[in-house]
Amino acid sequence: MPPHNFRWRIVFLLFLITTINYVDRNVLSFSMLDDAFRKEMLGVPLSYTLTQADLDAFKIQYGWVDTAFKLAYALGFIMIGWLIDRLGTRKGLSFAIGLWSLAGVATAYVGSFRGLLGARFALGIGEAGNFPSSIKSIAEWFPKKERAFATGLFNAGTNVGIILTAALIPWMTLKYGWRMSFMTTGVLGFVVLVFWWLNYQKPEDHPKVSTRELRYIKQDNQPEEIEGRVTWWRLLRFRQTWALIVGKLMADPIWWFYLTWLPDFFNSSEALTQRLDLQNIGFPFMVIYIISDGGSIFFGWLSSRLMKMGWSLNRARKTTMLLCALCVVPIFFAAQTQNVYIATVLIAIAAAGHLGWSANVYTIASDLYPKSAVAMVTGIGGFSGAVGGALLAAVIGPIRVQWGYLPLFLLASSTYLIALLFIHLLIPKMKPVEM
């Protein structure tokens, strides 16, 4: 007889939080197409006509703002992973949601690149709390055989957030101005904060969890605590930690590139015969992220399904990650095709591969580490991914201005296969760490 299914309500709650997290971080990617926003940041009058030199300068400055966000995101992982393992998931994520929502609202009041950089820095620190908290929640609420699927489900909120942003922010910006877009999305964060605080507890403390479901959740008998103090230096002794670092360091910068620069790609790519603006850019983004949402759920389900069929953890996770990596390979054609629809499909397949990859890489933390170390391990992985994203962000602007998008898409197409090779060399067999 199957257990009661209250744990899936927790996944839905994490899905909502992740959705708002991605709405808040992606408003800027669409606002950058608005002339009024560009002129405000460049400090020129609204009546001024922007030249190509102005637009190139804007993109380079925007790249530095994006770099600051990612450095803050990395710094946030250092602090918040530690904070969550000590305060608990409920309090730790509450702090993170409050901080990123406040930063989102503050962005509505900036009037220069300097102010924008400060607001995005604060946003990055707060938003770093989402994934360590969510992965720790999944470890608390699910047995190993369901974790990749559960992770894929809540991780699908990343794409739903982008879809909502693509559908609403261009319209809201054109009708009410870019400041209202930031204000509205920031306030949504405070709404989900209330839902989180009122509904989340550990399964053993939650009044709506049956004894049968709690027994099902705890079936792996994974140690709850670790002897001695958990530190980054202690965790870095293990090959499993370095496998997670590689998986995030090499793949996350590509995802950041999609999130930050795809609006500009569709708006200004030299290869495309049809260029999109705020009035018509929403459609390809909805296609891309609906398809990639399917990838997040499917590839999360696939590795969980393979394990239920009797495959080992090692074989199920790595086979699924190989399929994800292969989905990304054709993306370099997107920078060469003249057809916006072909480019959209290629990017959508690559994004689906990334989210499937991410769901399985994140699950390594809950597969191989005791629950009391999951948030800190996830923080290490997130830190490495954010550092990689910051390094790539610092050079994307100049690369884009000088050589176009082809070098960036070529990098994306090969990264995942190389990362999987390194992961396999580091951990030929996935085994839990002994702490």
Side-chain angles (χ1 to χ4, degrees), residues 78 229-246 369 373 376-384 426 433 435:
I78 294 175
R229 186 163 167 252
V230 181
T231 65
W232 272 47
W233 301 117
R234 185 179 179 190
L235 293 172
L236 289 173
R237 298 175 192 168
F238 299 103
R239 283 173 168 259
Q240 292 92 329
T241 304
W242 287 101
L244 180 63
I245 288 171
V246 169
Y369 287 86
M376 186 171 286
V377 174
T378 306
I380 292 173
F383 169 81
S384 61
L426 283 164
V433 301
M435 298 186 68

Side-chain angles (χ1 to χ4, degrees), residues 266 287-288 291 340-351:
F266 285 112
V287 172
I288 288 169
I291 291 175
V340 69
Y341 301 106
I342 294 175
T344 298
V345 171
L346 290 170
I347 294 169
I349 294 171

Side-chain angles (χ1 to χ4, degrees), residues 304-376:
S304 294
R305 177 62 181 168
L306 292 175
M307 289 178 65
K308 288 182 179 180
M309 290 169 57
W311 286 36
S312 68
L313 171 70
N314 184 68
R315 185 184 176 195
R317 295 281 190 256
K318 288 180 181 176
T319 300
T320 305
M321 289 166 67
L322 175 61
L323 294 175
C324 294
L326 292 174
C327 285
V328 189
V329 172
I331 195 175
F332 70 90
F333 288 115
Q336 298 174 294
T337 181
Q338 296 179 341
N339 190 306
V340 69
Y341 301 106
I342 294 175
T344 298
V345 171
L346 290 170
I347 294 169
I349 294 171
H354 172 85
L355 282 189
W357 172 278
S358 183
N360 282 276
V361 169
Y362 265 132
T363 309
I364 290 174
S366 58
D367 285 337
L368 306 183
Y369 287 86
K371 295 175 186 177
S372 55
V374 166
M376 186 171 286

Side-chain angles (χ1 to χ4, degrees), residues 78-303:
I78 294 175
M79 299 185 299
I80 290 181
W82 173 86
L83 187 70
I84 291 165
D85 278 333
R86 278 150 184 77
L87 293 183
T89 315
R90 186 176 183 231
K91 291 180 181 178
L93 185 53
S94 296
F95 170 79
I97 297 172
L99 179 57
W100 92 54
S101 301
L102 186 63
V105 171
T107 310
Y109 296 96
V110 303
S112 65
F113 267 118
R114 181 177 295 180
L116 181 64
L117 188 148
R120 295 295 288 184
F121 192 88
L123 184 78
I125 291 177
E127 292 209 333
N130 182 67
F131 282 100
S133 301
S134 297
I135 299 300
K136 188 177 178 71
S137 298
I138 296 298
E140 291 173 346
W141 277 88
F142 286 86
K144 286 184 180 180
K145 63 185 178 182
E146 290 184 339
R147 287 178 190 169
F149 182 42
T151 301
L153 287 175
F154 92 74
N155 197 40
T158 60
N159 285 356
V160 172
I162 301 167
I163 291 167
L164 290 174
T165 309
L168 298 176
I169 296 306
W171 168 81
M172 186 177 292
T173 301
L174 290 170
K175 190 170 181 64
Y176 300 107
W178 63 270
R179 295 183 189 277
M180 182 57 70
S181 299
F182 285 103
M183 176 66 72
T184 303
T185 55
V187 169
L188 285 174
F190 290 111
V191 175
V192 296
L193 171 58
V194 173
F195 278 97
W196 170 255
W197 185 258
L198 293 177
N199 288 282
Y200 189 84
Q201 297 181 51
K202 286 185 176 182
E204 55 268 28
D205 299 326
H206 208 294
K208 295 186 179 180
V209 177
S210 67
T211 303
R212 182 154 43 94
E213 183 173 17
L214 183 61
R215 194 162 52 242
Y216 182 81
I217 291 169
K218 301 291 186 180
Q219 66 182 267
D220 294 321
N221 294 318
Q222 189 174 9
E224 294 286 345
E225 301 298 333
I226 302 169
E227 290 184 11
R229 186 163 167 252
V230 181
T231 65
W232 272 47
W233 301 117
R234 185 179 179 190
L235 293 172
L236 289 173
R237 298 175 192 168
F238 299 103
R239 283 173 168 259
Q240 292 92 329
T241 304
W242 287 101
L244 180 63
I245 288 171
V246 169
K248 300 297 289 177
L249 175 68
M250 298 188 69
D252 278 15
I254 307 303
W255 181 244
W256 288 109
F257 162 60
Y258 298 157
L259 297 183
T260 306
W261 288 94
L262 283 185
D264 180 72
F265 169 75
F266 285 112
N267 179 249
S268 65
S269 173
E270 292 79 8
L272 296 176
T273 54
Q274 179 186 358
R275 297 185 182 182
L276 308 180
D277 56 26
L278 281 174
Q279 295 183 342
N280 55 16
I281 201 169
F283 176 73
F285 277 86
M286 284 187 265
V287 172
I288 288 169
Y289 291 109
I290 287 172
I291 291 175
S292 55
D293 246 354
S296 176
I297 296 170
F298 172 74
F299 287 117
W301 168 85
L302 179 62
S303 64

